[in-house]
Amino acid sequence: MDFSLSAYNKQSFQNISLSQYDLSDKEFSDCTFKKCDFSGCRLSSSSFIDCTFSNCNLSNIKVDNCSFQNIIFESCKLLGILFSVINTFLIGWKYEKCQIALCDFSGLDMKGSQFLECEVRDCEFINTDLSESDFSGSDLLNSKFHNSNLEGVRFVGATSYYIDPRFNKMKKARFSYPEVLSLLGVFEIEVEY
């Protein structure tokens, strides 16, 4: 596949390997990527606007100064991504049934983001604004939330989370029982049934 152009609009890419490609300084607008392998791809200073990634492998992509606006990730694999270095202007994304692990979302304004029925494991959300976001049905094993804004966040059906309410803003966050009891873990109290 030839990626010599600087901009791509309303194009569909399917079953292609972009592994180890350098797609820096490109613009993708209203594009669809299906079953594409981006593992190790460099996307520095590129922008993705109104794009959908479906069944793609985005492991270890390099995203410094990359822009993501209104992006949908469906059944994708995202491992080892340092999202904390992206261009933070107008971030907007939805993850659905994705495998997300060892990613760093620290310092980002991610208001209203959606992580629906995802595995969000070993990820960092430090100094992150996640207000009004949705983690419904997601597995948050070993993910770290610290000094983050979790106000109005929906954790209903989410599992394996450990959130210290002393170090995060949590007003009007929604949880389901019995997982909500994990919030008491930091206080070393025992709950009897």
Side-chain angles (χ1 to χ4, degrees):
M1 185 92 197
D2 180 18
F3 281 96
S4 57
L5 299 176
S6 60
Y8 299 85
N9 186 38
K10 297 187 182 208
Q11 292 194 30
S12 182
F13 304 93
Q14 189 165 345
N15 295 314
I16 59 173
S17 177
L18 300 163
S19 183
Q20 308 305 320
Y21 265 70
D22 187 344
L23 297 180
S24 298
D25 301 306
K26 307 279 185 198
E27 180 177 308
F28 296 90
S29 178
D30 201 20
C31 290
T32 303
F33 301 90
K34 292 182 180 177
K35 297 182 179 178
C36 294
D37 183 4
F38 286 86
S39 57
C41 185
R42 179 168 292 282
L43 302 173
S44 303
S45 299
S46 287
S47 64
F48 293 86
I49 303 164
D50 299 320
C51 293
T52 300
F53 295 83
S54 182
N55 294 291
C56 293
N57 180 359
L58 296 121
S59 299
N60 299 307
I61 57 173
K62 311 297 183 261
V63 292
D64 33 316
N65 205 37
C66 189
S67 176
F68 294 98
Q69 299 174 27
N70 300 319
I71 304 303
I72 298 173
F73 297 97
E74 301 169 332
S75 302
C76 290
K77 182 178 182 180
L78 302 103
L79 305 178
I81 304 170
L82 188 62
F83 284 111
S84 59
V85 298
I86 67 170
N87 180 334
T88 58
F89 184 68
L90 295 175
I91 296 173
W93 44 34
K94 175 182 179 180
Y95 300 92
E96 191 167 358
K97 296 182 179 175
C98 290
Q99 180 186 0
I100 306 166
L102 302 168
C103 293
D104 187 351
F105 296 93
S106 297
L108 297 179
D109 181 345
M110 298 172 54
K111 293 177 187 168
S113 292
Q114 296 179 312
F115 295 82
L116 306 176
E117 297 180 38
C118 294
E119 289 182 7
V120 186
R121 296 182 174 177
D122 299 293
C123 292
E124 293 197 352
F125 298 91
I126 300 170
N127 299 315
T128 307
D129 187 349
L130 288 160
S131 57
E132 304 302 324
S133 292
D134 193 344
F135 285 90
S136 293
S138 289
D139 178 354
L140 300 168
L141 185 67
N142 295 326
S143 286
K144 182 177 183 180
F145 296 86
H146 184 76
N147 200 34
S148 290
N149 184 349
L150 304 177
E151 294 179 344
V153 174
R154 185 173 173 83
F155 289 100
V156 175
T159 60
S160 304
Y161 52 81
Y162 177 83
I163 302 170
D164 190 334
R166 300 172 299 174
F167 300 111
N168 293 284
K169 295 178 183 176
M170 299 181 62
K171 186 176 182 179
K172 296 190 178 181
R174 292 170 298 227
F175 298 88
S176 53
Y177 181 85
E179 289 81 9
V180 70
L181 296 176
S182 71
L183 297 177
L184 301 174
V186 298
F187 301 111
E188 296 183 24
I189 62 174
E190 293 182 20
V191 177
E192 295 183 10
Y193 298 93

